[in-house]
Amino acid sequence: MSDKGGNNHSDVTDFILAGFRVPPEFYILLFLLFLLIYVMVLSGNISMMAVIVTDSQLNTPMYFFLGNLSFIDLSYSTVIAPKAMVIFLSEKKNISFGGCAAQLFLFTLFIVTEGFVLAAMAYDRFSAICNPLLYSVYMSRRLCSQLMAGSYFCGWVSSTIQVSVTFSVSFCAYRVIDHFYCDSYQIEKISCSNLFVNKMVSLSLAIFIILPTIVVIVVSYMYIVSTVLKIPSTEGRKKAFSTCSSHLGVVSVLYGTVSFVYLIPPSNPELRKVASVFYVLVTPMLNPLIYSLRNKDVKQALRKILGNKKALP
């Protein structure tokens, strides 16, 4: 028997994405479902970015972050969805070694960056509700730009480390990734190496990069709830809560689906794949809807744009 570590990563030129374990005739339905959701992701997030850029009344920190959130949602869906749709229709479900590494790098970059942007948006809502008189001082244009740059930097650091560690292992002859995209957990499952270092790195990234964003969001909302409950009038409390309800909805959808994926036991990979569809495609599709349906400023901006188009000859 050959040594398990004999075939290292330098011998692997490509992987095979297994996709979903369904009869072949179901793949056309999966393709159409992914295509429909992806088109909605594109139209929703591009529309949101266009509204924010064209309407001067939305030139505020909250919409600056929301515009970036739409770009990030659009980006990480685009990293995954087109390739997934190709493998659904193709007999050859290969992805090159470099393509797999690039997909994992970009997906990790954008998903981690999104976590930091959501944390920045929570801080923005905290500043607006808890310190309204100093809001313009706290949330200056310079600070907003620094928060965005820092979010992308942390995403880049996280993805660089994750990809470097994931693809530094030795791979066995079996190179089928049991997923519809290059998921680090599934890639490591086909490795012949000791994965202790990989697990420690993943744990460290969760503690030092992902956990702080959750802490910022939770602490911000603790202060927000405490401040809002001190408002004497019911109408005042309702108005204050309405300014952050959309953000809270987006946070709940993203972290809820991601948590669900990682709570599913490894013995049920198909359920993990279905859950992954939610944060890869469904969440980016829902985010613009949540903000457009629950946000008065966005709805007014949309009406203005649509009204201008109807007024054209």
Side-chain angles (χ1 to χ4, degrees):
M1 182 180 288
S2 61
D3 181 27
K4 283 180 73 177
N7 293 325
N8 62 31
H9 69 278
S10 61
D11 299 322
V12 176
T13 58
D14 65 351
F15 298 100
I16 298 170
L17 294 172
F20 292 88
R21 294 175 185 173
V22 295
E25 57 268 22
F26 279 84
Y27 273 112
I28 185 65
L29 296 177
L30 283 172
F31 171 82
L32 293 174
L33 177 63
F34 268 58
L35 179 62
L36 174 63
I37 298 175
Y38 183 56
V39 168
M40 292 179 70
V41 170
L42 289 175
S43 58
N45 285 287
I46 290 174
S47 298
M48 182 64 72
M49 288 188 287
V51 167
I52 291 170
V53 169
T54 55
D55 195 304
S56 58
Q57 291 185 343
L58 301 183
N59 187 20
T60 65
M62 185 176 81
Y63 295 108
F64 170 75
F65 292 124
L66 179 55
N68 279 277
L69 184 69
S70 292
F71 171 75
I72 292 166
D73 283 341
L74 180 67
S75 298
Y76 74 72
S77 294
T78 301
V79 169
I80 304 298
K83 182 62 180 179
M85 289 188 285
V86 169
I87 68 166
F88 291 159
L89 295 184
S90 174
E91 292 185 4
K92 292 185 177 180
K93 303 182 184 300
N94 300 58
I95 184 170
S96 68
F97 182 92
C100 190
Q103 188 182 65
L104 177 60
F105 177 86
L106 291 171
F107 180 71
T108 305
L109 166 67
F110 289 118
I111 202 74
V112 172
T113 301
E114 176 150 331
F116 279 90
V117 172
L118 289 174
M121 293 174 77
Y123 176 72
D124 171 72
R125 292 299 83 206
F126 159 77
S127 300
I129 293 172
C130 300
N131 299 287
L133 298 178
L134 296 174
Y135 176 68
S136 59
V137 177
Y138 287 161
M139 298 305 297
S140 64
R141 184 181 294 272
R142 180 180 179 184
L143 177 61
C144 292
S145 299
Q146 289 173 339
L147 288 172
M148 273 310 310
S151 298
Y152 278 104
F153 176 75
C154 290
W156 178 80
V157 169
S158 180
S159 59
T160 300
I161 295 172
Q162 184 68 67
V163 170
S164 298
V165 171
T166 300
F167 288 96
S168 66
V169 299
S170 299
F171 293 103
C172 307
Y174 185 77
R175 54 193 176 88
V176 178
I177 298 172
D178 190 16
H179 217 302
F180 60 88
Y181 69 95
C182 290
D183 175 66
S184 60
Y185 175 76
Q186 295 298 334
I187 294 170
E188 289 170 355
K189 280 184 68 175
I190 62 173
S191 164
C192 300
S193 301
N194 186 316
L195 297 176
F196 176 78
V197 173
N198 297 61
K199 291 177 180 178
M200 289 299 101
V201 168
S202 296
L203 180 61
S204 299
L205 289 174
I207 293 173
F208 294 109
I209 292 188
I210 298 173
L211 185 60
T213 65
I214 298 173
V215 171
V216 169
I217 292 170
V218 170
V219 171
S220 295
Y221 275 101
M222 287 174 62
Y223 277 102
I224 288 170
V225 170
S226 175
T227 301
V228 171
L229 291 177
K230 294 176 183 176
I231 299 174
S233 68
T234 304
E235 188 63 29
R237 288 196 296 270
K238 184 178 178 181
K239 184 178 180 180
F241 271 127
S242 68
T243 64
C244 53
S245 59
S246 297
H247 174 260
L248 197 56
V250 169
V251 169
S252 300
V253 170
L254 177 65
Y255 282 100
T257 52
V258 171
S259 299
F260 182 69
V261 168
Y262 288 99
L263 288 174
I264 296 172
S267 58
N268 198 341
E270 293 307 298
L271 185 57
R272 290 174 69 99
K273 294 175 194 175
V274 173
S276 296
V277 173
F278 278 85
Y279 72 80
V280 169
L281 281 174
V282 177
T283 299
M285 177 190 71
L286 290 177
N287 286 353
L289 293 175
I290 292 172
Y291 270 99
S292 60
L293 293 175
R294 298 182 62 87
N295 190 292
K296 182 177 68 176
D297 295 333
V298 173
K299 286 192 286 188
Q300 287 178 347
L302 283 170
R303 289 194 196 101
K304 188 186 299 183
I305 292 174
L306 293 173
N308 289 340
K309 286 184 177 181
K310 288 180 180 179
L312 291 175

